[in-house]
Amino acid sequence: MDHFAQDPRRYAQTERTLIVIKPDAVRRGLVGKIIQRFEDRSLKLIALELRTLEKERLEDLYSPHRGKPFFNDLVEFMSSGPVAAAILEGPEVIKITRLMIGNTKSPEAAPGTIRGDFGLGITENIIHASDTLESFERESKIFFP
Ligand code: CMP
């Protein structure tokens, strides 16, 4: 039995988030290691899919960043190979996952975080995770309609 189910009153409300393991991490064979970290934290894997996304879909995913100087490079990079998208479930999973992945800019990410342990880049920064419930609802539909 899921140990969160034993006494749900002890935990904050269960929620879901989307993570996207980026093409740099997939190319380097880091998918298993990264998923393992979330499972080690007792976050539950609800869905997992490996696929290469068309640019139009990536432009939707990153629509809040449209017009920023890094937007075209970001879409180019994200379409350069398969990504591993997953839905995770757990108490306060959005906040916990963001803390686990670390600062967007890998050189500023603390050791112990996923970007701090595996990343060096800013655009090529290993992993994306939804930052709010609204982002999760919008972004997850792109991968798991
Ligand atoms: P991600 O968490 O997927 O959200 C937006 C992405 O844009 C970010 O990770 C990086 O891959 C990329 N990016 C490139 N340059 C920047 C920047 N200066 N600030 C924020 N994000 C950037």
Side-chain angles (χ1 to χ4, degrees):
M1 202 215 301
D2 175 356
H3 72 260
F4 291 122
Q6 288 170 16
D7 185 358
R9 289 163 301 179
R10 289 177 51 216
Y11 297 95
Q13 197 180 353
T14 294
E15 58 185 25
R16 289 182 175 187
T17 196
L18 174 81
I19 59 160
V20 182
I21 301 173
K22 299 188 178 188
D24 54 338
V26 175
R27 276 193 280 274
R28 285 170 55 197
L30 295 173
V31 173
K33 272 189 184 154
I34 291 171
I35 296 288
Q36 186 70 59
R37 289 187 175 214
F38 296 113
E39 292 190 323
D40 286 349
R41 191 72 190 266
S42 290
L43 300 174
K44 190 171 171 188
L45 194 56
I46 299 291
L48 176 63
E49 187 175 80
L50 192 69
R51 69 197 250 211
T52 304
L53 288 172
E54 316 80 56
K55 287 191 178 161
E56 296 69 37
R57 244 174 231 270
L58 290 162
E59 286 169 1
D60 284 347
L61 178 70
Y62 283 120
S63 58
H65 297 290
R66 203 184 289 272
K68 293 186 183 168
F70 58 83
F71 184 76
N72 290 342
D73 283 350
L74 177 61
V75 170
E76 195 66 41
F77 159 60
M78 289 294 289
S79 64
S80 68
V83 300
I87 292 179
L88 300 174
E89 185 181 86
E92 299 203 50
V93 71
I94 295 174
K95 181 170 84 182
I96 290 171
T97 301
R98 294 284 294 185
L99 288 169
M100 287 177 71
I101 73 174
N103 194 302
T104 304
K105 297 178 180 178
S106 305
E108 292 173 27
T113 65
I114 292 169
R115 288 165 174 157
D117 287 348
F118 299 121
L120 290 174
I122 296 173
T123 295
E124 301 199 15
N125 65 351
I126 308 287
I127 185 166
H128 167 83
S130 303
D131 59 354
T132 60
L133 182 58
E134 293 69 37
S135 301
F136 164 67
E137 283 167 354
R138 188 182 65 76
E139 294 172 354
S140 59
K141 284 190 199 118
I142 293 170
F143 291 90
F144 304 101

